[in-house]
Amino acid sequence: MSDTNLKKIALAMRRLDKLERGHAIDTANLEAKPSAKQQSILDSFGHHKITVVRGGNQSSKTTLGARTFSWMLTETHPTWERPASWGQERLQILILGKSGKIIEESLYYRIKSYIDPAELHEFRAGNILQKVIHKPTGTTLLFQP
């Protein structure tokens, strides 16, 4: 195979991976589909000012949050549209957690698993993640322990 064909195949594989991650509920299992309850939470996003998700251990609460934030970051949420009253300003999303370590190792780790790493610009103070900007949209994630 020529180098040109290999490059085309590599680009096609990257695009397929990006499309699969864009629709997946969990990047650890790209074939997984949301349960009926998870889908209702995803579909109702934006219809309420506050959404509270309660559940037991291992019930995918963090996964739902990460999936929703990644869609907002890339502005590709399948059922939510930015309200016209917001204008076209870049979004700023505040993510809170018990500690910086939990934010980065649990929340941000899952959020970035849905997105091409080349599209993200991380800002750190020392070794602590402060914010992330999605380059194509300009949307910013701000992290606060």
Side-chain angles (χ1 to χ4, degrees), residues 25 73 75 77 115 140 143:
I25 186 69
L73 186 63
E75 296 196 37
H77 197 289
I115 303 167
T140 303
F143 302 99

Side-chain angles (χ1 to χ4, degrees), residues 6 10 15 25 32 34 36 48 56 61-62 66 68 70 78 84 103 114 120-121:
L6 289 174
R15 179 159 166 68
I25 186 69
H48 311 285
K61 300 177 299 292
T62 304
T68 302
S70 68
I103 290 171
Y114 294 103
L120 301 174
H121 187 102

Side-chain angles (χ1 to χ4, degrees), residues 104 123-130:
E104 186 162 358
F123 293 86
R124 296 177 179 274
N127 200 24
I128 299 169
L129 185 64
Q130 300 293 308

Side-chain angles (χ1 to χ4, degrees), residues 15-25 27 30 67 70-71 74 76-78 113-115:
R15 179 159 166 68
L16 178 61
D17 182 64
K18 186 176 181 177
L19 288 170
E20 287 177 338
R21 288 180 184 280
H23 296 290
I25 186 69
T27 57
L30 295 177
R67 174 74 276 187
S70 68
W71 276 329
T74 59
T76 57
H77 197 289
S113 72
Y114 294 103
I115 303 167

